[in-house]
Amino acid sequence: MADDSHKPDWNPRANDVLKDQIRVYDRMRGQCPVAWSDYQHWTLFRHEDVVRVLKDHQAFSSAVSSHLSVPNGMDPPDHTHYRKVIEPYFSRQAMEKFEPICRRIARNLVGNLPDGQPFDVVEQFSRAFALKIQCAFMGWPDSLHEPLREWLLKNHRATLARDRQAMADVAREFDNYIHDLLEARRRAGANAPRDVTTSLMEETVNSQPMTDKELTSLLRNWTVGELGTISSSVSILLNYLSGHPDLRQSLTNDTDALPDAIDEILRMDAPLMSNRRVTTRDVELGGRTIPAGEKITILWASANRDEEVFGDPDAFCPQKNRDQNLLYGAGIHVCPGAPLARMELRVLMEEFLSAVDTLKPAPDEQSERAVFPTGGFSYLPMLIRKQ
């Protein structure tokens, strides 16, 4: 534990922080780049410090939780074995196979958006896309859309409040969904659908089938990551493009530029705010000594805006910033699902831009930013005119 006499350097839950988190992170990066708080423990704001942690998994362990977390909360060699199993599901061939399904979902959602009437991007578009696309990728029934939507909101509330009992209850609720999906496939035997979930049930790690506990942990991590970050990403992208109509028109005319543009917009405004590590030995970061066993918050929302690396953090420079962008992490824990997320966002934006002529904030409506640990928006009223 940190020295009890150590006073917090900041309060991530203070009203003035929550009012404009990104700007506060920008200030902290210069004033106190390695900061202690009761809520986030040790927070790293600088790109350099974050990269060091990402590349030194021996000193900074991912095994932060006391609960099984496959593979996010694992270190080598266990992490390596599970990654070997997981990565083929996000191969180029797998993405090419899934893209037509993704495009059909995206086209239908865009087609159903109200023309000339205000709507909430979060509820009617971004969250709906994330739910539909996750269930389609995993082979889960449409009947899970609404339960998963409610579960996601409960999970966010419990995490925000750090209510351990509520978090445990929410985890059990998800486990029950997965248990039912696995049992249905076992009952079906040879007639089980040939989808990602069934395939994972047949995988082996170290020549042993994954247990239900391992499968459930893996599927929970995939689902939380997909639903939260994809939904946040879509709201961030539409908000940015509504304020930059010239860029929106440029991307409409040149969709080949979309992948880099999407990554750059999400560098400036993070959909995933943070990850955690725990020190395995005493370390020094930013001139501060952090004892072994301390929890560390890697703040992507700050590191990806570091002036020492990117210059003006709000300047749109996709090619210049591409190689230093930590949107999907770095090192051995770089996000295995990055190819899927990139494909989904590209396809959705292609469909949106081809169908929409005008995009602007809804008049007389005020958007609401999401707060840590979630990025993006909790409410984003927009108005579109279709082609």
Side-chain angles (χ1 to χ4, degrees), residues 26-102:
D26 286 349
R27 288 200 301 271
M28 289 294 294
R29 200 165 49 247
Q31 296 172 1
C32 188
V34 178
W36 167 263
S37 68
D38 293 328
Y39 185 72
Q40 290 184 6
H41 295 235
W42 292 101
T43 302
L44 307 185
F45 292 88
R46 294 190 306 198
H47 190 279
E48 177 185 5
D49 293 331
V50 167
V51 169
R52 177 185 162 190
V53 169
L54 296 177
K55 293 186 175 180
D56 187 355
H57 57 268
Q58 293 181 330
F60 303 95
S61 169
S62 293
V64 177
S65 174
S66 59
H67 302 287
L68 179 67
S69 181
V70 180
N72 312 41
M74 292 177 162
D75 298 319
D78 291 341
H79 173 265
T80 309
H81 299 319
Y82 286 95
R83 281 290 294 242
K84 186 177 180 181
V85 169
I86 291 168
E87 287 175 352
Y89 289 89
F90 304 104
S91 67
R92 177 176 295 181
Q93 294 82 357
M95 296 304 93
E96 290 174 352
K97 181 179 179 181
F98 185 58
E99 182 169 334
I101 299 170
C102 179

Coordinates of all heavy atoms in Angstrom, one line a residue, residues 26-102:
D26 N -5.0 17.0 -19.4 CA -4.0 17.8 -20.1 C -3.2 18.6 -19.1 O -1.9 18.7 -19.2 CB -4.6 18.8 -21.1 CG -5.2 18.0 -22.4 OD1 -4.8 16.8 -22.5 OD2 -5.9 18.6 -23.2
R27 N -3.8 19.2 -18.1 CA -3.1 20.0 -17.1 C -2.3 19.1 -16.2 O -1.1 19.5 -15.9 CB -4.1 20.8 -16.3 CG -4.8 22.0 -17.0 CD -5.3 23.0 -16.0 NE -6.3 22.4 -15.1 CZ -7.6 22.3 -15.3 NH1 -8.1 22.8 -16.5 NH2 -8.4 21.8 -14.4
M28 N -2.8 18.0 -15.8 CA -2.1 17.1 -14.9 C -0.9 16.6 -15.5 O 0.2 16.3 -14.9 CB -3.0 16.0 -14.5 CG -4.1 16.3 -13.5 SD -3.5 16.9 -11.9 CE -2.8 15.3 -11.3
R29 N -0.9 16.4 -16.8 CA 0.3 15.9 -17.6 C 1.5 16.8 -17.4 O 2.6 16.3 -17.3 CB -0.1 15.7 -19.0 CG 0.8 14.8 -19.8 CD 0.2 14.4 -21.2 NE -0.3 15.5 -21.9 CZ -1.6 15.8 -22.2 NH1 -2.5 14.9 -21.7 NH2 -2.0 16.8 -22.9
G30 N 1.3 18.0 -17.3 CA 2.4 19.0 -17.1 C 2.7 19.2 -15.6 O 3.8 19.4 -15.2
Q31 N 1.6 19.2 -14.8 CA 1.8 19.6 -13.4 C 2.2 18.4 -12.5 O 3.0 18.6 -11.5 CB 0.5 20.2 -12.8 CG 0.1 21.5 -13.5 CD -1.3 22.0 -13.1 OE1 -2.0 21.4 -12.3 NE2 -1.7 23.1 -13.7
C32 N 1.6 17.2 -12.7 CA 1.9 16.1 -11.8 C 1.7 14.8 -12.7 O 0.6 14.1 -12.5 CB 0.9 16.1 -10.6 SG 1.3 14.9 -9.4
P33 N 2.6 14.5 -13.5 CA 2.4 13.4 -14.5 C 2.3 12.0 -13.9 O 1.8 11.1 -14.5 CB 3.6 13.5 -15.4 CG 4.7 14.2 -14.6 CD 3.9 15.1 -13.7
V34 N 2.7 11.8 -12.7 CA 2.5 10.6 -11.9 C 1.9 11.0 -10.6 O 2.5 11.6 -9.7 CB 3.9 9.8 -11.7 CG1 3.6 8.6 -10.8 CG2 4.6 9.5 -13.0
A35 N 0.6 10.7 -10.5 CA -0.2 11.3 -9.4 C -0.9 10.2 -8.6 O -1.4 9.2 -9.2 CB -1.3 12.2 -10.0
W36 N -1.0 10.4 -7.3 CA -1.7 9.4 -6.4 C -3.2 10.0 -6.1 O -3.4 11.1 -5.9 CB -1.0 9.3 -5.1 CG -1.8 8.5 -4.1 CD1 -2.6 9.1 -3.1 CD2 -2.1 7.1 -4.0 NE1 -3.2 8.2 -2.4 CE2 -2.9 6.9 -2.9 CE3 -1.6 6.0 -4.7 CZ2 -3.4 5.7 -2.5 CZ3 -2.1 4.8 -4.3 CH2 -2.9 4.6 -3.3
S37 N -4.1 9.1 -6.1 CA -5.5 9.4 -5.6 C -6.1 8.1 -5.0 O -5.6 7.0 -5.4 CB -6.4 9.9 -6.8 OG -6.6 8.8 -7.7
D38 N -7.0 8.3 -4.1 CA -7.7 7.1 -3.5 C -8.4 6.3 -4.6 O -8.6 5.1 -4.4 CB -8.6 7.6 -2.4 CG -7.9 8.2 -1.2 OD1 -6.7 7.7 -1.0 OD2 -8.4 9.1 -0.6
Y39 N -8.9 7.0 -5.6 CA -9.8 6.3 -6.6 C -9.1 5.6 -7.6 O -9.4 4.4 -8.0 CB -10.7 7.4 -7.2 CG -11.8 6.8 -8.2 CD1 -12.9 6.1 -7.6 CD2 -11.7 7.0 -9.5 CE1 -13.8 5.6 -8.5 CE2 -12.6 6.5 -10.4 CZ -13.7 5.8 -9.9 OH -14.7 5.3 -10.7
Q40 N -8.0 6.2 -8.2 CA -7.3 5.5 -9.3 C -5.9 5.0 -8.9 O -5.2 4.4 -9.7 CB -7.1 6.5 -10.5 CG -8.3 6.9 -11.2 CD -8.1 7.8 -12.4 OE1 -6.9 8.1 -12.8 NE2 -9.1 8.2 -13.1
H41 N -5.6 5.2 -7.6 CA -4.3 4.9 -7.1 C -3.2 5.7 -7.9 O -3.3 6.9 -8.0 CB -4.1 3.4 -7.1 CG -5.0 2.6 -6.2 ND1 -4.6 1.8 -5.2 CD2 -6.3 2.7 -6.1 CE1 -5.6 1.3 -4.6 NE2 -6.7 1.8 -5.1
W42 N -2.2 5.0 -8.4 CA -1.2 5.8 -9.2 C -1.6 5.9 -10.6 O -1.8 4.9 -11.3 CB 0.2 5.1 -9.1 CG 0.8 5.0 -7.8 CD1 0.8 4.0 -6.9 CD2 1.5 6.1 -7.1 NE1 1.4 4.4 -5.7 CE2 1.9 5.7 -5.9 CE3 1.8 7.4 -7.5 CZ2 2.6 6.4 -5.0 CZ3 2.5 8.2 -6.6 CH2 2.9 7.7 -5.4
T43 N -1.8 7.2 -11.1 CA -2.2 7.5 -12.4 C -1.0 8.0 -13.2 O -0.3 8.9 -12.8 CB -3.4 8.5 -12.4 OG1 -4.4 8.0 -11.7 CG2 -3.8 8.7 -13.9
L44 N -0.9 7.4 -14.4 CA 0.2 7.8 -15.4 C -0.5 8.6 -16.5 O -1.3 8.2 -17.2 CB 0.9 6.6 -15.9 CG 1.5 5.6 -14.9 CD1 2.3 4.5 -15.7 CD2 2.3 6.3 -13.9
F45 N 0.0 9.9 -16.7 CA -0.5 10.8 -17.7 C 0.3 10.9 -18.9 O -0.2 11.3 -20.0 CB -0.7 12.2 -17.0 CG -1.8 12.3 -16.0 CD1 -1.4 12.0 -14.6 CD2 -3.1 12.6 -16.3 CE1 -2.4 12.1 -13.6 CE2 -4.0 12.7 -15.3 CZ -3.7 12.4 -14.0
R46 N 1.6 10.6 -18.8 CA 2.5 10.8 -20.0 C 2.7 9.6 -20.9 O 2.7 8.5 -20.4 CB 3.9 11.3 -19.5 CG 3.9 12.6 -18.8 CD 5.3 13.1 -18.5 NE 6.1 12.1 -17.8 CZ 7.3 12.4 -17.2 NH1 7.7 13.6 -17.2 NH2 8.0 11.4 -16.6
H47 N 2.8 9.9 -22.1 CA 3.0 8.8 -23.1 C 4.2 8.0 -22.8 O 4.2 6.7 -22.9 CB 3.1 9.5 -24.5 CG 3.1 8.6 -25.7 ND1 4.2 7.8 -26.1 CD2 2.1 8.2 -26.5 CE1 3.9 7.1 -27.1 NE2 2.6 7.3 -27.4
E48 N 5.3 8.6 -22.5 CA 6.6 7.9 -22.2 C 6.4 6.9 -21.0 O 6.9 5.8 -21.1 CB 7.7 9.0 -21.9 CG 9.0 8.3 -21.5 CD 10.0 9.4 -21.1 OE1 9.7 10.6 -21.0 OE2 11.2 9.0 -20.8
D49 N 5.8 7.3 -20.0 CA 5.6 6.5 -18.8 C 4.7 5.3 -19.1 O 4.9 4.2 -18.7 CB 5.1 7.3 -17.6 CG 6.1 8.3 -17.1 OD1 7.3 8.0 -17.2 OD2 5.6 9.3 -16.6
V50 N 3.6 5.6 -19.9 CA 2.7 4.5 -20.3 C 3.4 3.5 -21.1 O 3.2 2.3 -20.9 CB 1.5 5.1 -21.0 CG1 0.6 4.0 -21.6 CG2 0.6 5.9 -20.0
V51 N 4.1 3.9 -22.1 CA 4.8 3.0 -23.0 C 5.8 2.1 -22.2 O 5.9 0.9 -22.4 CB 5.6 3.7 -24.1 CG1 6.5 2.8 -24.9 CG2 4.5 4.4 -25.1
R52 N 6.5 2.7 -21.3 CA 7.4 2.0 -20.4 C 6.7 0.8 -19.7 O 7.1 -0.3 -19.7 CB 8.1 2.9 -19.4 CG 9.0 2.1 -18.5 CD 9.6 2.9 -17.4 NE 10.1 2.1 -16.3 CZ 10.5 2.6 -15.1 NH1 10.5 3.9 -14.9 NH2 11.0 1.8 -14.2
V53 N 5.5 1.2 -19.1 CA 4.8 0.1 -18.4 C 4.3 -0.9 -19.4 O 4.3 -2.1 -19.0 CB 3.6 0.8 -17.7 CG1 2.6 -0.2 -17.2 CG2 4.0 1.7 -16.6
L54 N 3.8 -0.6 -20.6 CA 3.3 -1.5 -21.5 C 4.4 -2.5 -22.0 O 4.1 -3.7 -22.3 CB 2.7 -0.8 -22.7 CG 1.5 0.1 -22.5 CD1 1.1 0.8 -23.8 CD2 0.3 -0.7 -21.9
K55 N 5.6 -2.0 -22.0 CA 6.7 -2.9 -22.6 C 7.4 -3.7 -21.5 O 8.3 -4.5 -21.8 CB 7.7 -2.0 -23.4 CG 7.0 -1.5 -24.6 CD 8.0 -0.7 -25.5 CE 7.4 -0.3 -26.8 NZ 8.4 0.4 -27.7
D56 N 7.1 -3.4 -20.2 CA 7.8 -4.1 -19.1 C 6.8 -4.9 -18.3 O 6.4 -4.4 -17.2 CB 8.6 -3.1 -18.3 CG 9.4 -3.8 -17.2 OD1 9.4 -5.0 -17.1 OD2 10.2 -3.1 -16.5
H57 N 6.3 -6.0 -18.9 CA 5.3 -6.8 -18.2 C 5.8 -7.5 -17.0 O 5.1 -8.1 -16.2 CB 4.6 -7.7 -19.1 CG 5.6 -8.7 -19.8 ND1 6.2 -8.4 -21.0 CD2 6.0 -9.9 -19.4 CE1 6.9 -9.4 -21.3 NE2 6.9 -10.4 -20.4
Q58 N 7.2 -7.5 -16.8 CA 7.7 -8.2 -15.6 C 7.6 -7.3 -14.4 O 7.3 -7.8 -13.3 CB 9.2 -8.6 -15.9 CG 9.3 -9.7 -17.0 CD 10.8 -10.1 -17.2 OE1 11.7 -9.3 -17.0 NE2 11.0 -11.3 -17.6
A59 N 7.8 -6.0 -14.6 CA 7.7 -5.1 -13.4 C 6.3 -4.6 -13.2 O 5.9 -4.2 -12.1 CB 8.7 -3.9 -13.6
F60 N 5.5 -4.6 -14.3 CA 4.1 -4.1 -14.3 C 3.2 -5.2 -14.7 O 3.0 -5.4 -15.9 CB 4.0 -2.9 -15.1 CG 4.9 -1.8 -14.8 CD1 6.1 -1.6 -15.4 CD2 4.6 -0.9 -13.7 CE1 7.0 -0.6 -15.1 CE2 5.5 0.1 -13.4 CZ 6.7 0.3 -14.1
S61 N 2.6 -6.0 -13.8 CA 1.8 -7.1 -14.1 C 0.4 -6.7 -14.4 O -0.2 -5.7 -13.9 CB 1.8 -8.1 -12.8 OG 0.8 -9.1 -13.0
S62 N -0.2 -7.5 -15.3 CA -1.6 -7.3 -15.6 C -2.6 -8.1 -14.7 O -3.8 -8.0 -14.8 CB -1.9 -7.8 -17.1 OG -1.2 -6.9 -18.0
A63 N -2.0 -8.9 -13.8 CA -2.8 -9.7 -12.9 C -3.3 -8.8 -11.7 O -2.9 -9.0 -10.6 CB -2.1 -10.9 -12.4
V64 N -4.2 -7.9 -12.0 CA -4.6 -6.9 -11.1 C -5.8 -7.4 -10.2 O -5.9 -7.2 -9.0 CB -5.0 -5.6 -11.8 CG1 -5.5 -4.6 -10.8 CG2 -3.8 -5.0 -12.5
S65 N -6.7 -8.1 -10.9 CA -7.9 -8.6 -10.2 C -7.6 -9.9 -9.5 O -6.8 -10.7 -9.9 CB -9.0 -8.8 -11.2 OG -10.2 -9.4 -10.6
S66 N -8.4 -10.1 -8.4 CA -8.3 -11.4 -7.7 C -9.2 -12.5 -8.4 O -9.1 -13.6 -8.1 CB -8.8 -11.2 -6.3 OG -10.2 -10.7 -6.3
H67 N -9.9 -12.0 -9.4 CA -10.8 -12.9 -10.2 C -10.1 -13.3 -11.5 O -9.3 -12.5 -12.1 CB -12.1 -12.3 -10.5 CG -12.9 -11.9 -9.3 ND1 -13.5 -12.9 -8.4 CD2 -13.1 -10.7 -8.7 CE1 -14.0 -12.2 -7.4 NE2 -13.9 -10.9 -7.6
L68 N -10.4 -14.4 -12.1 CA -9.8 -14.9 -13.4 C -10.2 -13.9 -14.5 O -11.4 -13.5 -14.6 CB -10.4 -16.3 -13.7 CG -9.9 -16.9 -15.0 CD1 -8.4 -17.2 -15.0 CD2 -10.7 -18.2 -15.3
S69 N -9.3 -13.5 -15.2 CA -9.5 -12.6 -16.4 C -8.7 -13.0 -17.6 O -7.5 -12.8 -17.6 CB -9.1 -11.1 -16.0 OG -9.4 -10.2 -17.0
V70 N -9.4 -13.7 -18.5 CA -8.8 -14.3 -19.7 C -9.0 -13.4 -20.9 O -10.1 -13.1 -21.3 CB -9.4 -15.7 -20.0 CG1 -8.7 -16.3 -21.2 CG2 -9.3 -16.6 -18.7
P71 N -7.9 -13.0 -21.6 CA -6.5 -13.1 -21.2 C -6.0 -11.8 -20.6 O -4.8 -11.7 -20.3 CB -5.8 -13.4 -22.5 CG -6.6 -12.6 -23.5 CD -8.0 -12.6 -23.0
N72 N -6.9 -10.8 -20.5 CA -6.5 -9.4 -20.2 C -5.7 -9.4 -18.9 O -4.7 -8.6 -18.7 CB -7.7 -8.5 -20.0 CG -8.6 -8.6 -21.2 OD1 -8.9 -9.7 -21.7 ND2 -9.2 -7.5 -21.7
G73 N -6.1 -10.1 -17.9 CA -5.5 -10.1 -16.6 C -4.5 -11.1 -16.3 O -4.3 -11.6 -15.2
M74 N -3.8 -11.5 -17.4 CA -2.7 -12.6 -17.3 C -1.4 -12.1 -17.7 O -1.3 -11.1 -18.6 CB -3.1 -13.8 -18.2 CG -4.3 -14.5 -17.7 SD -4.8 -15.9 -18.8 CE -5.8 -16.9 -17.7
D75 N -0.3 -12.7 -17.2 CA 1.0 -12.4 -17.7 C 1.6 -13.7 -18.4 O 1.0 -14.8 -18.2 CB 1.9 -12.1 -16.4 CG 1.5 -10.8 -15.7 OD1 1.1 -9.9 -16.4 OD2 1.5 -10.8 -14.5
P76 N 2.7 -13.5 -19.1 CA 3.3 -14.7 -19.7 C 3.7 -15.7 -18.5 O 4.1 -15.2 -17.4 CB 4.5 -14.2 -20.4 CG 4.1 -12.8 -20.7 CD 3.3 -12.3 -19.5
P77 N 3.7 -17.0 -18.7 CA 3.4 -17.7 -20.0 C 1.9 -17.9 -20.3 O 1.5 -18.2 -21.4 CB 4.1 -19.0 -19.9 CG 4.1 -19.3 -18.4 CD 4.2 -18.0 -17.7
D78 N 1.0 -17.8 -19.2 CA -0.4 -18.1 -19.4 C -1.0 -17.2 -20.5 O -1.7 -17.6 -21.4 CB -1.2 -17.9 -18.1 CG -0.8 -18.9 -17.1 OD1 -0.3 -20.0 -17.5 OD2 -1.1 -18.7 -15.9
H79 N -0.7 -15.9 -20.4 CA -1.2 -14.9 -21.4 C -0.9 -15.4 -22.9 O -1.7 -15.3 -23.8 CB -0.6 -13.5 -21.2 CG -1.0 -12.5 -22.2 ND1 -0.1 -12.2 -23.2 CD2 -2.1 -11.8 -22.4 CE1 -0.7 -11.3 -24.0 NE2 -1.9 -11.0 -23.5
T80 N 0.4 -15.8 -23.1 CA 0.8 -16.2 -24.4 C 0.0 -17.4 -24.9 O -0.4 -17.4 -26.1 CB 2.3 -16.6 -24.3 OG1 3.1 -15.6 -23.7 CG2 2.9 -16.9 -25.7
H81 N -0.3 -18.4 -24.1 CA -1.0 -19.5 -24.5 C -2.5 -19.2 -25.0 O -3.0 -19.6 -26.0 CB -1.1 -20.6 -23.4 CG 0.2 -21.1 -23.0 ND1 1.2 -21.4 -23.8 CD2 0.7 -21.3 -21.7 CE1 2.3 -21.8 -23.2 NE2 2.0 -21.8 -21.9
Y82 N -3.1 -18.3 -24.2 CA -4.5 -17.9 -24.6 C -4.5 -17.0 -25.8 O -5.4 -17.1 -26.6 CB -5.2 -17.2 -23.4 CG -5.6 -18.2 -22.3 CD1 -4.7 -18.4 -21.2 CD2 -6.8 -18.9 -22.3 CE1 -5.1 -19.3 -20.2 CE2 -7.1 -19.8 -21.4 CZ -6.3 -20.0 -20.3 OH -6.6 -20.9 -19.3
R83 N -3.5 -16.1 -25.9 CA -3.5 -15.2 -27.1 C -3.3 -16.1 -28.4 O -3.9 -15.7 -29.4 CB -2.3 -14.2 -27.0 CG -2.6 -13.1 -26.1 CD -3.6 -12.1 -26.7 NE -3.1 -11.4 -27.8 CZ -2.9 -10.1 -28.0 NH1 -3.2 -9.3 -26.9 NH2 -2.5 -9.6 -29.1
K84 N -2.6 -17.1 -28.3 CA -2.4 -18.0 -29.4 C -3.7 -18.6 -29.9 O -3.9 -18.7 -31.1 CB -1.4 -19.1 -29.1 CG -1.0 -20.0 -30.3 CD 0.1 -21.0 -29.9 CE 0.4 -21.9 -31.1 NZ 1.4 -22.9 -30.7
V85 N -4.6 -18.9 -29.0 CA -5.9 -19.4 -29.3 C -6.8 -18.3 -29.9 O -7.5 -18.5 -30.8 CB -6.5 -20.0 -28.1 CG1 -8.0 -20.4 -28.3 CG2 -5.8 -21.3 -27.6
I86 N -6.7 -17.1 -29.3 CA -7.7 -16.1 -29.6 C -7.4 -15.4 -31.0 O -8.3 -15.0 -31.7 CB -7.6 -15.0 -28.5 CG1 -8.2 -15.6 -27.2 CG2 -8.4 -13.7 -28.9 CD1 -8.0 -14.8 -26.0
E87 N -6.1 -15.1 -31.3 CA -5.8 -14.3 -32.4 C -6.3 -14.7 -33.8 O -6.7 -13.9 -34.6 CB -4.3 -14.1 -32.5 CG -3.8 -13.2 -31.4 CD -2.3 -13.0 -31.3 OE1 -1.6 -13.8 -32.0 OE2 -1.8 -12.2 -30.5
P88 N -6.4 -16.0 -34.1 CA -7.0 -16.4 -35.4 C -8.4 -15.9 -35.6 O -8.9 -15.8 -36.7 CB -6.9 -17.9 -35.3 CG -5.8 -18.2 -34.4 CD -5.9 -17.2 -33.4
Y89 N -9.2 -15.6 -34.5 CA -10.6 -15.2 -34.6 C -10.6 -13.7 -35.2 O -11.7 -13.3 -35.6 CB -11.3 -15.3 -33.3 CG -11.6 -16.7 -32.9 CD1 -10.6 -17.4 -32.1 CD2 -12.7 -17.3 -33.3 CE1 -10.9 -18.7 -31.8 CE2 -13.0 -18.6 -32.9 CZ -12.0 -19.3 -32.2 OH -12.3 -20.7 -31.8
F90 N -9.5 -13.1 -35.2 CA -9.4 -11.7 -35.7 C -8.5 -11.6 -36.9 O -8.0 -10.5 -37.2 CB -9.0 -10.7 -34.6 CG -9.8 -10.8 -33.3 CD1 -9.4 -11.5 -32.2 CD2 -11.1 -10.3 -33.3 CE1 -10.2 -11.6 -31.1 CE2 -11.9 -10.4 -32.2 CZ -11.4 -11.0 -31.1
S91 N -8.3 -12.7 -37.6 CA -7.4 -12.7 -38.8 C -8.0 -11.9 -39.9 O -9.3 -11.6 -39.9 CB -7.1 -14.1 -39.2 OG -8.3 -14.7 -39.7
R92 N -7.3 -11.6 -40.9 CA -7.8 -11.0 -42.1 C -8.9 -11.8 -42.8 O -9.9 -11.2 -43.2 CB -6.7 -10.7 -43.1 CG -7.1 -10.1 -44.4 CD -6.0 -9.8 -45.3 NE -5.1 -8.8 -44.8 CZ -4.0 -8.3 -45.4 NH1 -3.7 -8.8 -46.6 NH2 -3.2 -7.4 -44.8
Q93 N -8.7 -13.1 -42.8 CA -9.7 -13.9 -43.4 C -11.0 -13.9 -42.6 O -12.1 -13.8 -43.2 CB -9.2 -15.4 -43.5 CG -8.1 -15.6 -44.5 CD -6.7 -15.2 -43.9 OE1 -6.6 -14.8 -42.7 NE2 -5.6 -15.4 -44.6
A94 N -10.9 -13.9 -41.3 CA -12.1 -13.8 -40.4 C -12.8 -12.5 -40.6 O -14.1 -12.5 -40.6 CB -11.7 -14.1 -39.0
M95 N -12.1 -11.4 -40.7 CA -12.7 -10.1 -40.9 C -13.4 -10.0 -42.3 O -14.5 -9.4 -42.4 CB -11.6 -9.0 -40.8 CG -11.0 -8.9 -39.4 SD -12.1 -8.7 -38.0 CE -12.4 -10.4 -37.5
E96 N -12.8 -10.5 -43.3 CA -13.4 -10.5 -44.6 C -14.7 -11.3 -44.6 O -15.6 -10.9 -45.3 CB -12.4 -11.1 -45.7 CG -11.2 -10.1 -45.9 CD -10.2 -10.8 -46.9 OE1 -10.3 -12.0 -47.2 OE2 -9.3 -10.0 -47.3
K97 N -14.7 -12.4 -43.9 CA -15.9 -13.2 -43.9 C -17.0 -12.5 -43.1 O -18.2 -12.6 -43.5 CB -15.6 -14.5 -43.2 CG -16.8 -15.5 -43.1 CD -16.4 -16.8 -42.4 CE -17.6 -17.8 -42.3 NZ -17.2 -19.0 -41.6
F98 N -16.7 -11.8 -42.0 CA -17.7 -11.1 -41.2 C -18.1 -9.8 -41.8 O -19.2 -9.3 -41.5 CB -17.2 -10.9 -39.8 CG -18.2 -10.4 -38.8 CD1 -19.4 -11.0 -38.6 CD2 -17.9 -9.2 -38.1 CE1 -20.3 -10.5 -37.7 CE2 -18.8 -8.7 -37.2 CZ -20.0 -9.3 -37.0
E99 N -17.3 -9.1 -42.6 CA -17.6 -7.8 -43.1 C -19.0 -7.6 -43.8 O -19.7 -6.7 -43.5 CB -16.5 -7.3 -44.0 CG -16.8 -5.8 -44.5 CD -15.6 -5.2 -45.2 OE1 -14.4 -5.6 -44.9 OE2 -15.8 -4.3 -46.0
P100 N -19.4 -8.6 -44.6 CA -20.8 -8.4 -45.2 C -21.9 -8.4 -44.2 O -22.9 -7.6 -44.4 CB -20.9 -9.6 -46.2 CG -19.5 -10.0 -46.5 CD -18.7 -9.7 -45.2
I101 N -21.8 -9.2 -43.1 CA -22.8 -9.2 -42.1 C -22.7 -7.8 -41.4 O -23.8 -7.2 -41.1 CB -22.5 -10.3 -41.1 CG1 -22.6 -11.7 -41.8 CG2 -23.5 -10.3 -39.9 CD1 -22.1 -12.8 -41.0
C102 N -21.5 -7.4 -41.1 CA -21.4 -6.1 -40.4 C -22.0 -4.9 -41.3 O -22.7 -4.1 -40.7 CB -19.9 -5.8 -40.2 SG -19.5 -4.2 -39.4

